Amino acid sequence: MSQDMKQELSYNYVLIRYGELALKGKNRKLFENQLQENIVNQLKDLNVKLKKTHGRLYLYLHDESFETVHARLKHIFGISSYSPAIKTSLELKDIQETALKAIRAHSPFPKTFKVSVKRANKRFPYTSQEMNHKLGAHILIHTDNLKVDVHKPEVELLVEIREDAAYIMSQKFRGAGGLPVGTSGKVMLMMSGGIDSPVAGYLCLKRGLRFEGVHFHSFPFTSERAKQKVVDLAMQLSQYAGPVKLHIVPFTEIQTEIKKHIPDEYSITIMRRLMMRITEALAKKHKALGIATGESVGQVASQTLESMHTINEVTNYPVLRPLVTMDKVEIIDIAQTIGTYDISILPYEDCCTVFQPKNPKTKPDRLTAGQLEERLNVEPLIERAVENTETLRLTREEQKKDTIDHLF
C-alpha cells in the first residue's frame, strides 16, 4: 500500500474487558460495580463517559486522547485487557469501511492480518464466520501486499457486533489483571520506607484489598526526609489504589524504652511485637480486618520462621505476607515496574535500621520475649502512640505540593 493511502484514525471509544470477574457467579455484579467505580474515580478529571453492558465496559472518549486514558487504565486492577475502538452502525457497508480504515491506519502497515468477529447480537443477519469472510475479503480487495494469516497475524482485527452498534479494534493492551480494589476488604500495611513494603502493598491491591499505611517515625533519630520518603511511596501507590491513608506513628518513646530495658539481641523482636500491637489497634480503630507486611522468609533477622512465630503471638489478626517466597531480585523487579524503587533507595534511614543491633537474635522464642516485655509498661506506651498518630490522606492529584515545602 502506498503511503498516501494511509489514513488517520480517530478512536472514539475504549472497550474494556475483565477476566477473573466473570467467574464470580452471583457476586459478579458486585465486582463489576466496584470496577466501574474505580475506573470513574481514576478518570474523574477527564471528559469521558463509562457505560456497562454484559461482560464489557465501554468508555466514550469525547475529545480525550486514547494515550491519556491508556496511562490511567493500565494501573487499574480488575481489567484483563482493553482496546481503542471505533463505534460504527450495524450496516455492513459501514463496518467494512471502518475495518478497512483501521487496517490502513495501523502503523507500521502489516504484512499479514486476520479478522475475528464476535456476534453478541444474535439478530444480526450474518454469523461471525460469515462476517470474518466479508470483512477479510473487503480489506484484501482494497489493499496491496497484505495477506491473511490465521495463526500468527501481525494484526488481529477485532470486531464486536452488539445490540446497537459495532466496535472495531486493531490493538489490544494487557490490563493489570487481579481483582478490583475494594472487593476483598481492608488491611493495615506496615510501611518502613524500604523496597519491600510498597511492593507488598501493590500485591495486596492486586487481590482486591484496600490498605491504609502505618509508618513508625522516630524523630529526631530518623529525619523528616525519611518520613517524606514514605509519604512519597504512598502517593506513588495511590496511582493503583486511589486515595491512600497513611498513619504516622510517633515511635521515639517506645524505641527509647526498648534501648533502655531490652538486651540488644532481642531489641528487634520486641520492637516488631510492639509495632504489631499498635498496627492491630489501628486496624480496630479504622475497621481493617488484617495486617500486611513486606516480610520475606530469611531476608533479615526478624524474618526467620522463629521470629515470625514469636512476633505473630501478639495478634490474632491475619498477617498477610505477599512477598514471603520471593527473593530480593524478584521484589526489586516489581518495585521498578510500579515506580517505587527509586524512592525506596533514597538514603534516609527508618527506625528499624537506625536501631539495628550488631547481633540480633535470629531464633527468638516466645517465652523469653514475653518475659523481657514485662520490663516495659507496654499498654500505656501503645495507647499513647495510637492516640498521637498523625493521619494523612494522599492522592495522585496532591503530588508534593504540601509536603516538601513545609518540611524543608
Side-chain angles (χ1 to χ4, degrees), residues 191 228 230-239 241-248 391-399 402-403:
M191 296 185 68
Q228 181 61 46
V230 179
V231 170
D232 291 344
L233 286 169
M235 201 104 72
Q236 179 64 18
L237 289 174
S238 72
Q239 290 191 44
V244 170
K245 278 188 181 177
L246 177 64
H247 305 283
I248 311 288
T391 297
L392 306 175
R393 185 178 184 277
L394 304 167
T395 67
R396 181 184 59 239
E397 292 81 11
E398 288 168 358
Q399 298 295 326
D402 61 354
T403 53

Side-chain angles (χ1 to χ4, degrees), residues 187 189-190 195-207 209 211 237 292-295 320-324 326 331 334 338 340:
V187 296
L189 172 67
M190 297 171 73
I195 296 169
D196 301 342
S197 53
V199 174
Y202 170 82
L203 293 176
C204 285
L205 294 172
K206 189 170 185 178
R207 293 315 301 161
L209 293 159
F211 72 77
L237 289 174
T293 79
E295 293 167 310
L320 308 184
R321 297 180 169 94
L323 314 184
V324 72
M326 292 186 184
I331 297 168
I334 298 175
I338 64 176
T340 56

Side-chain angles (χ1 to χ4, degrees), residues 146-290:
L146 185 62
K147 295 180 180 177
V148 172
D149 182 343
V150 297
H151 301 294
K152 290 184 178 180
E154 289 181 36
V155 172
E156 182 177 9
L157 193 72
L158 305 167
V159 179
E160 293 208 4
I161 308 290
R162 292 278 163 170
E163 291 299 320
D164 61 339
Y167 295 85
I168 289 122
M169 301 150 277
S170 64
Q171 294 173 286
K172 190 174 185 179
F173 296 91
R174 186 174 179 179
L179 297 173
V181 173
T183 55
S184 300
K186 185 169 73 176
V187 296
M188 306 304 280
L189 172 67
M190 297 171 73
M191 296 185 68
S192 68
I195 296 169
D196 301 342
S197 53
V199 174
Y202 170 82
L203 293 176
C204 285
L205 294 172
K206 189 170 185 178
R207 293 315 301 161
L209 293 159
R210 289 194 189 282
F211 72 77
E212 294 186 14
V214 180
H215 177 64
F216 295 88
H217 187 51
S218 294
F219 185 81
F221 301 116
T222 56
S223 68
E224 288 295 304
R225 289 171 186 254
K227 174 182 168 183
Q228 181 61 46
K229 187 167 79 163
V230 179
V231 170
D232 291 344
L233 286 169
M235 201 104 72
Q236 179 64 18
L237 289 174
S238 72
Q239 290 191 44
Y240 308 92
V244 170
K245 278 188 181 177
L246 177 64
H247 305 283
I248 311 288
V249 181
F251 207 55
T252 309
E253 181 186 12
I254 290 176
Q255 288 209 291
T256 303
E257 288 298 299
I258 290 173
K259 186 75 177 172
K260 197 183 300 181
H261 299 291
I262 304 296
D264 267 4
E265 62 176 1
Y266 260 87
S267 62
I268 291 293
T269 304
I270 301 302
M271 183 186 75
R272 296 290 296 179
R273 283 165 63 102
L274 266 66
M275 285 178 169
M276 195 64 81
R277 287 189 175 96
I278 291 168
T279 305
E280 181 185 293
L282 289 169
K284 288 176 182 173
K285 185 176 180 179
H286 297 280
K287 297 181 171 50
L289 293 176

Side-chain angles (χ1 to χ4, degrees), residues 16 20 25 27 40 54 90 94 114 129 138 144 163 172 176 179 199 201 224 230 233 277 323-324 332 353 382 386 390:
I16 299 170
E20 194 175 343
N27 293 322
V40 169
H54 184 69
L90 290 175
D94 287 346
K114 70 178 280 190
Q129 192 60 30
H138 186 77
D144 298 324
E163 291 299 320
K172 190 174 185 179
L179 297 173
V199 174
E224 288 295 304
V230 179
L233 286 169
R277 287 189 175 96
L323 314 184
V324 72
I332 287 173
T353 51
I382 291 172
V386 172
E390 172 191 12

